[in-house]
Amino acid sequence: MDERNIYLTTVPVAEAVERVRRALDRDTLLGVETVASHEALGRVTSRPVIARCSSPTFHAAAMDGIAVRAESTFAAREGHPVTLRRGADYVEVNTGHPLPPGMDAVVMIEHVIRADGDAVFLEAPAFPWQHVRRIGEDIVATEMILPQNRTISAYDVGALLSAGIFEVEVRARVRLTFIPTGDEVLDFRSRPTPAPGQVIESNSQVFAALVRSWGAEPVCLPPVPDDRAALKAAVASALEGESQIVCVGAGSSAGSKDFTRAVFEELGQVLVHGVAVMPGKPSLLTVADNGKLLVGVPGYPVSAVVCLEDLLAPLTAWLARSARPARPEITARLARKLPSRPGMEEIVRLAVGRVGDGYVAAPLPRGAGLITSLTKAQGLARIPADSEGLEQDAQVRVELLTPRESLDRVLVHIGSHDNIIDMLGNELMGLPEPVQLVSGHVGSMGGLSALRDGTALFAGSHLFDPETEDFNFPFLARYLAEVEVLVVNLAIRHQGLIVAPGNPKDIRAVSDLARPGVAFINRQKGAGTRILLDHHLKTAGIRPEEVRGYEREEFTHMAVAVNVLTGAADCGLGIYAAAKALGLDFLPLARERYDLVIPRAHAEDPRILALLELVRSERLQAAIQALGGYETTLTGRRMRPGEGLG
């Protein structure tokens, strides 16, 4: 068996960063260069910048009017004007003109009374240097314009040019190289279609985009296979290049083909292997023998981002002597309980939006490989290492990943998943005033709980009550009696058994789920689809424990369908649209009403009004029908108790 890595003791992120700072000589690593002042935005000055010219370089008129000797106007009073003659007593000037010799003040043209010929009257005195920009009023030659280690702003560029500084000495940009690794990793440049066991490499491009946002320069190399010699050669070559930091993607964990640490030990001194944060634990920090920094970046995308943002970003800023911009923060109410394992800080991505007078944060799935948790997040929370997590309704500090003002355009949905919800998200973003739909897929019952707790603007629900043969209202009366709601139908949809093409297991009815050799995939507790399944199992006289896979849960219809597509399950209960999307077979089981449940308190919210207008549009209803497995006879209609399927 190949020798596996053994983690060194994990350390807190702040300590890991400090260890690297103490070990690197940034003066040696980062030189200086001269750039044109007009192209210096975002660069960092390497030494003080001294003005070559004064600004202005002459006494200048600050207003349109006439230049005068102030003492010649001292006798002017309202009703007793003084008379001035052109050439002898005043000279006409415009803003920016040099002050004529002998003159020491400017009178605004609005205060000048024209007389006959070249004469003018003034009814108010001027004081010396009135409306005059004196030599060096802004900048005096030989004074310091910018100090060392100043990140040059747009305004600084103007000051440099005004002071006659056309070139400025700045610190070289930090350069970082990224080397992806793995036999299973495909170079995205070839536009591949991955086979089972293969993945398209993307971490390098996340790295490159982040590095550019830090004002540094990325270099991305093609993937290197899981071969120790090949990896060492690639890293050694990168260390000989211009980059001060060389990053290796993946291979820093404890797998038998994870060679990054072993290679780093041959090329330098390992400072940190394992940081006390999840995700991101396998991060690896090493100082190479030539003084450069080697970073082992975890392979899973969310872990990689934590390594890049929490370790590499502050180290890059420190090398460049630039300030790392702080994320804006808000306080939000947690939409549901967030357990965490003590002993390690945990970073959790959140969907965040304004509900009522405050902000609500709904935790997104926490898998280290779920890149969509990055794309869907508006913020993140950090759970301390000594905490077992956060309770529902806890006030949590949220680091925003989007501008604060954008949260007012977020439409928070928590409830049952349906493919139409995804469609609505796209259509809402196409409105003249775009609305961003964020959705937590917790099932119909979870959606009603969210409305009760005030953590959502609306919920999708399709709960069927066998006793009344009605949808949603019996459950609203039971679990949401204290909240006045508006119920609007989104669609009637077809639920059924999703099976592989050709139905190789010959599954024909719910009773077949109890047959030996049939593997089922279920929805999560509280999902309306699971409640529907339980009803049909009971009707068929089947106990849940007789269904192999009953305890295996997914949170969306598409996830159920993917399990069937890949052979991880033989069957699942879901909507026709999901089966159709993946080319699977479908055995109809029930028609059900999928409704939007909206608290009256939010019914006039502009985001809800935009949603309802869209739902009632003919264009959207045609798109719903095109998905297959939906009926729109009730779509957009307000529903009332007892209407069933209409």
Side-chain angles (χ1 to χ4, degrees), residues 56 75 99 110 145 172 199 209 321 331 359 373 410 446 481 532 605 630:
L99 198 65
E110 295 91 331
I145 300 300
V199 295
R321 291 175 172 82
T331 299
Y359 296 107
S373 70
V410 171
L532 178 67
D605 187 294
Y630 293 102

Side-chain angles (χ1 to χ4, degrees), residues 302-389:
V302 183
S303 293
V305 165
V306 171
C307 175
L308 298 177
E309 293 185 336
D310 281 33
L311 294 172
L312 200 53
L315 287 170
T316 301
W318 175 78
L319 274 178
R321 291 175 172 82
S322 61
R324 183 187 178 194
R327 290 175 175 144
E329 293 188 353
I330 62 167
T331 299
R333 186 157 63 101
L334 200 60
R336 62 179 183 270
K337 186 177 181 179
L338 192 56
S340 183
R341 186 174 63 187
M344 192 168 295
E345 180 187 26
E346 183 173 10
I347 298 173
V348 181
R349 308 278 160 171
L350 304 166
V352 186
R354 180 177 56 80
V355 177
D357 296 329
Y359 296 107
V360 168
L364 293 166
R366 288 189 270 181
L370 302 179
I371 196 168
T372 54
S373 70
L374 302 172
T375 63
K376 293 177 180 179
Q378 286 77 45
L380 62 84
R382 299 178 186 271
I383 303 177
D386 60 356
S387 171
E388 293 185 355

Side-chain angles (χ1 to χ4, degrees), residues 150-203:
R150 164 73 171 242
T151 300
I152 296 174
S153 70
Y155 316 116
D156 295 335
V157 170
L160 290 170
L161 296 176
S162 296
I165 308 297
F166 305 114
E167 294 181 329
V168 61
E169 188 178 281
V170 297
R171 300 193 182 278
R173 290 190 189 276
V174 180
R175 291 173 61 92
L176 304 94
T177 293
F178 190 91
I179 306 173
T181 68
D183 294 335
E184 78 285 6
V185 173
L186 304 177
D187 191 340
F188 72 92
R189 296 174 182 84
S190 64
R191 301 188 177 187
T193 298
Q198 296 180 322
V199 295
I200 299 172
E201 194 281 313
S202 61
N203 283 354

